[in-house]
Amino acid sequence: MTTLVVTDLDGTVWDKTLRCHPSTLAAVHLLRDRDDVELLVATGRRRNSARSTYIANGFTLPSVLLNGAIGFDFDAEAIFHQVAFDVDALRSVIDLLVAFDLGPVAYLADTRALVVEGVTSSVRHLESLGADLEWSSMADVAPRSDVLGLSMLGLELAQVQPALAELTALVGVQAFSYADHLDPPFSLMLAPENVTKVVGIQAYLDHVEIVPDRIIAVGDGGNDLEMLAMADVAIAVRGGDQRAIDLADHVIDRPERGGWAAVLDFI
């Protein structure tokens, strides 16, 4: 029998300081060494931000990134899944953001993060982009065919709420809006059509040619809901999004208390 354990990172595996509790680290290493368990990450993080935090915590895992737009095996340094915006859909979303005076960060397939002039995202977010940051313009982003996602993090809800209904209605676009504990108070991420964590998870299973006997999903946020809903065992994090908690079969403690280690109890 094979069990797939798929987990979110921020607010689930590690805390706001991006550090794993020792008991969580021990549990991660234990599961990585088990032949009957496949351990996978599904996160909104981009490739290099996940990489740097993995390195700081002393492990890496195959990862579904940008909420399902790209899948990357850090050990093999290989992409196993990737979906970019359709050019027409990207033009539509850029036009709409311009109309509402919103400026995103655009994530490219080559790991660069294009930051438009007048960007509406937090200083913390921009600082986290590091060497991947490259200044650009909305006009330069709109015609590209290699944009995997757009985001604006650490905003007030009032800044993006007027645009949410129209963004959600756009053809070829997925909108993820959620209360953000890492970049508070609120964030918005935009992805290509039909790109979700679940799509990326299935791409990974196809890549490694595994059909698990059961799936355990662990998450805390609004972008984890579909993943939790499809799992045989859904585990949410205390203090996380109430919608995730309502979907969960079990609730574990916060990452700063090493709550993730309790996943071992459900294998």
Side-chain angles (χ1 to χ4, degrees):
M1 293 184 66
T2 299
T3 297
L4 172 69
V5 177
V6 56
T7 182
D8 178 51
L9 290 176
D10 297 294
T12 303
V13 170
W14 51 56
D15 60 23
K16 293 180 181 179
T17 69
L18 308 184
R19 302 297 296 186
C20 289
H21 190 278
S23 61
T24 294
L25 280 176
V28 167
H29 287 294
L30 180 63
L31 290 183
R32 284 197 61 173
D33 291 340
R34 286 183 55 160
D35 294 333
D36 60 340
V37 173
E38 193 74 20
L39 186 53
L40 175 69
V41 161
T43 177
R45 280 185 174 265
R46 59 193 179 85
R47 191 192 314 177
N48 284 343
S49 67
R51 183 195 302 277
S52 62
T53 314
Y54 281 145
I55 291 170
N57 284 285
F59 69 92
T60 59
L61 291 170
S63 301
V64 173
L65 304 160
L66 293 176
N67 290 319
I70 184 169
F72 194 75
D73 184 333
F74 286 91
D75 290 336
E77 288 292 318
I79 294 171
F80 60 80
H81 166 72
Q82 184 170 288
V83 180
F85 274 105
D86 172 82
V87 173
D88 290 337
L90 182 60
R91 287 184 185 276
S92 296
V93 74
I94 291 296
D95 288 345
L96 186 54
L97 293 175
V98 169
F100 282 93
D101 199 27
L102 294 170
V105 174
Y107 305 109
L108 305 187
D110 63 7
T111 78
R112 283 181 296 156
L114 302 187
V115 179
V116 302
E117 297 171 3
V119 62
T120 45
S121 203
S122 70
V123 172
R124 184 185 188 281
H125 178 209
L126 301 186
E127 290 176 343
S128 75
L129 300 175
D132 290 335
L133 187 154
E134 184 174 308
W135 288 98
S136 187
S137 68
M138 296 290 248
D140 289 336
V141 171
R144 300 192 69 100
S145 61
D146 58 347
V147 176
L148 306 181
L150 305 168
S151 74
M152 290 162 283
L153 310 183
L155 308 176
E156 296 294 334
L157 176 58
Q159 289 178 267
V160 294
Q161 192 166 37
L164 282 178
E166 292 189 45
L167 286 169
T168 303
L170 283 177
V171 175
V173 178
Q174 299 270 359
F176 302 94
S177 55
Y178 54 96
D180 193 335
H181 57 270
L182 192 62
D183 279 292
F186 192 81
S187 290
L188 174 65
M189 299 187 74
L190 302 163
E193 186 176 25
N194 297 324
V195 167
T196 65
K197 288 187 176 184
V198 170
V199 170
I201 292 165
Q202 186 56 57
Y204 177 75
L205 293 174
D206 293 342
H207 171 68
V208 295
E209 299 182 338
I210 288 176
V211 179
D213 298 283
R214 65 178 184 146
I215 297 174
I216 298 172
V218 194
D220 75 312
N223 58 345
D224 297 317
L225 302 181
E226 187 180 45
M227 177 177 80
L228 293 170
M230 67 87 184
D232 299 297
V233 180
I235 303 173
V237 179
R238 185 171 292 116
D241 192 302
Q242 187 60 46
R243 296 171 296 171
I245 292 171
D246 291 343
L247 280 171
D249 301 300
H250 307 281
V251 178
I252 59 175
D253 211 344
R254 299 291 302 164
E256 58 268 23
R257 295 179 177 270
W260 198 92
V263 172
L264 297 176
D265 297 335
F266 308 110
I267 302 298

